[in-house]
Amino acid sequence: MGAVTPNMLTRRYLAGAAALGARPARLVEVARQLIDLAATSYDGDCLTRPVFLEHAEFSVLRDDLLALHAALASLPARLFGGDVAAFARAVGMSGAQVTAIERADGRAPTRLGRADVFRDETAFRVMELNLGSALGGLDNAVLNRAFLTDPMVADFVASQGLSYVDTMDVLVGTLSAECGLPDGARPLIAIADWPESFPVLERQLRYSAALLAGRGLEAVPCHLGQLRATGGRVWLDGRPVDVIYRVFLIKDLLRPEARELADPVLRAAERGEVALFAPMDAELYGSKGALALLSDEANRHLFSAAELTCLDRVLPWTRLVRPGPVTVGGASQADMAEYALAEREHLVLKPTALHSGAGVIQGWLTSPADWRRELGAAMDGPFVLQRRIRPLAEPFPAENGPQPWVLWWGVFLGAPGYGGAIVRGSTDPDAGIKSMPHGATGTCCFHQARPTPPAPEEPVPGS
């Protein structure tokens, strides 16, 4: 597990907590008293403190993610002569997926997204950028608010000039802007999932609907089988729907029942009878295959020096799994299969369009024989290879002294730009990105929106 010298804000916080003799589990108890953690994205538990971003690191991370989004949005024009369908096929999409993407109205891709980010010795590095409305962690600010009821946290946040962004507010603003909702409107929003997964997600969707209701939007969870497209509108329980908030994914369009379930509402959206948030092309621009196109040295000549500075800092080496030569280490080339076999312990094999760690194979946890087999099955398919990033660990208060946790940052974007963050952690140094239900524990983030005057350094307790 890589060690890290905590930033100044974290050192100040830990020193202050030690000086006050604060119990390590205090904030966890506060959170459990004030909110039903099990109903939130934190899945019943949280870490013992927030994380903190100083102004300089926050600014670089924010600007790099916005530059990455802009670069992704430019790929059809820069690489495919404006042919979005060709772009979709190049990153591994096919059939009904390409057809649905072609139906999009040609607007820029949604700004709503979450970058899953590791921090190594040099920078924040983006493992994937998930764009679209089916994002986990949107309710992360409930923990910021709970932690702020603690006097020590409230005093620290105020004294250091810290703040947070409520991602649910960013969601509402982005949805309203991209769907053209007038100020003061109270549209009917159908939060639509696939019938098979709806029973599993219904509790979470109803919780999200309640959060939206508190922000002036009427949202009703449902599955696609409950929607009817007829008479120039889409209907739910006899009421006309204004916005379909899409929880089903583009991978669902390859199911046999997709023609019956999804096609009617997608065609209604194409005709302008209902707004679709986010449009089906969101997962195209959020595909790990799209990141591979940005990472490939063969495409560097298409980007400015300023763009390349951001991309080089934020993107690890990522390539589509294709037979033949591949660029490594700058302009040098190697055979893809030979390179992948030789570098097994430093590579991750990922499907281009799956989420929550599904289908991810970590080379360092895989035997050479299994890695060879998986690589052969992935060759020329919808998969990427990505260079392993070793995330640094941060100390968190624990009963026997500070405990190191490896962190994965889920950093949100939206119409205003930076959209808040949810942070997941594990004590396992070899873990890849995990969701809360699969072994991670979460916390919230406070950031320094503006620089503050320096203060004397304090030692880290227990260091």
Side-chain angles (χ1 to χ4, degrees):
M1 182 185 299
V4 62
T5 300
N7 65 20
M8 181 69 72
L9 289 172
T10 303
R11 294 201 294 273
R12 290 175 185 167
Y13 177 87
L14 292 172
L20 290 173
R23 291 186 301 107
R26 183 187 80 262
L27 290 184
V28 179
E29 295 167 1
V30 167
R32 288 174 175 164
Q33 290 169 4
L34 295 178
I35 55 180
D36 180 4
L37 281 175
T40 72
S41 296
Y42 294 100
D43 199 45
D45 200 5
C46 65
L47 293 172
T48 56
R49 67 166 175 87
V51 296
F52 307 104
L53 283 176
E54 294 178 353
H55 171 69
E57 56 194 1
F58 164 73
S59 299
V60 171
L61 176 60
R62 175 199 62 202
D63 293 348
D64 281 353
L65 292 181
L66 293 175
L68 175 61
H69 184 280
L72 288 166
S74 75
L75 283 177
R78 295 199 205 207
L79 287 179
F80 301 98
D83 188 341
V84 177
F87 175 31
R89 287 189 288 269
V91 300
M93 294 186 180
S94 61
Q97 295 174 321
V98 176
T99 300
I101 288 168
E102 287 182 299
R103 288 175 179 162
D105 57 14
R107 291 184 301 174
T110 182
R111 281 288 291 269
L112 186 67
R114 189 196 69 230
D116 287 337
V117 180
F118 279 172
R119 188 178 197 173
D120 66 10
E121 294 88 348
T122 60
F124 285 102
R125 314 297 295 278
V126 173
M127 303 296 101
E128 50 192 80
L129 177 58
N130 304 287
L131 293 180
S133 41
L135 299 174
L138 292 163
D139 60 346
N140 59 82
V142 297
L143 196 60
N144 293 83
R145 289 191 287 272
F147 282 175
L148 282 172
T149 65
D150 179 81
M152 191 200 109
V153 173
D155 289 346
F156 182 79
V157 166
S159 68
Q160 303 301 315
L162 301 178
S163 61
Y164 70 95
V165 171
D166 189 324
T167 306
M168 288 299 298
D169 289 341
V170 171
L171 163 64
V172 171
T174 306
L175 183 153
S176 299
E178 295 184 1
C179 294
L181 301 182
D183 291 341
R186 189 174 173 85
L188 177 61
I189 300 173
I191 307 179
D193 193 16
W194 204 260
E196 181 181 344
S197 52
F198 180 70
V200 178
L201 294 179
E202 183 175 4
R203 180 189 181 192
Q204 177 68 40
L205 297 181
R206 295 199 179 281
Y207 170 75
S208 299
L211 294 178
L212 291 174
R215 291 162 172 82
L217 299 179
E218 182 182 5
V220 180
C222 65
H223 60 74
L224 280 175
Q226 296 173 290
L227 297 175
R228 296 289 179 266
T230 184
R233 296 297 299 269
V234 172
W235 305 83
L236 174 62
D237 295 332
R239 301 178 61 196
V241 174
D242 300 293
V243 178
I244 295 174
Y245 187 103
R246 184 171 64 85
V247 181
F248 63 94
L249 302 173
I250 199 165
K251 68 182 179 67
D252 293 319
L253 300 186
L254 299 180
R255 296 171 181 260
E257 64 271 27
R259 182 180 296 274
E260 175 187 356
L261 290 172
D263 269 13
V265 297
L266 294 181
R267 291 185 182 279
E270 184 182 11
R271 293 190 297 265
E273 297 168 1
V274 69
L276 183 65
F277 184 79
M280 295 306 303
D281 64 354
E283 282 107 318
L284 167 61
Y285 293 95
S287 163
K288 289 177 277 292
L291 294 183
L293 295 177
L294 287 181
S295 172
D296 197 333
E297 282 92 345
N299 299 325
R300 290 180 67 84
H301 65 285
L302 299 172
F303 297 91
S304 69
E307 288 173 316
L308 290 174
T309 297
C310 290
L311 295 177
D312 289 346
R313 180 167 49 231
V314 80
L315 277 183
W317 183 93
T318 308
R319 294 293 184 275
L320 290 162
V321 181
R322 301 288 183 265
V326 61
T327 51
V328 294
S332 61
Q333 292 192 337
D335 178 77
M336 165 64 84
E338 293 176 0
Y339 179 78
L341 292 172
E343 294 291 306
R344 172 182 58 83
E345 294 187 357
H346 306 288
L347 295 173
V348 188
L349 180 65
K350 299 181 176 182
T352 57
L354 297 184
H355 304 277
S356 302
V360 172
I361 299 172
Q362 298 156 305
W364 58 96
L365 299 179
T366 308
S367 71
D370 288 344
W371 179 253
R372 180 185 294 273
R373 184 178 64 255
E374 295 289 353
L375 183 66
M379 190 65 68
D380 228 8
F383 293 87
V384 298
L385 279 171
Q386 192 171 74
R387 192 78 180 174
R388 178 187 187 182
I389 298 298
R390 296 178 181 271
L392 300 176
E394 286 199 19
F396 284 75
E399 291 299 328
N400 297 319
Q403 182 178 24
W405 285 75
V406 173
L407 300 181
W408 317 296
W409 299 68
V411 184
F412 290 92
L413 298 176
Y418 173 76
I422 188 168
V423 180
R424 293 159 285 174
S426 173
T427 55
D428 178 3
D430 288 325
I433 294 175
K434 291 182 179 179
S435 60
M436 252 55 108
H438 296 92
T441 306
T443 191
C444 58
C445 176
F446 291 95
H447 69 276
Q448 209 169 43
R450 288 175 291 277
T452 59
E457 290 196 27
E458 299 88 356
V460 178
S463 62

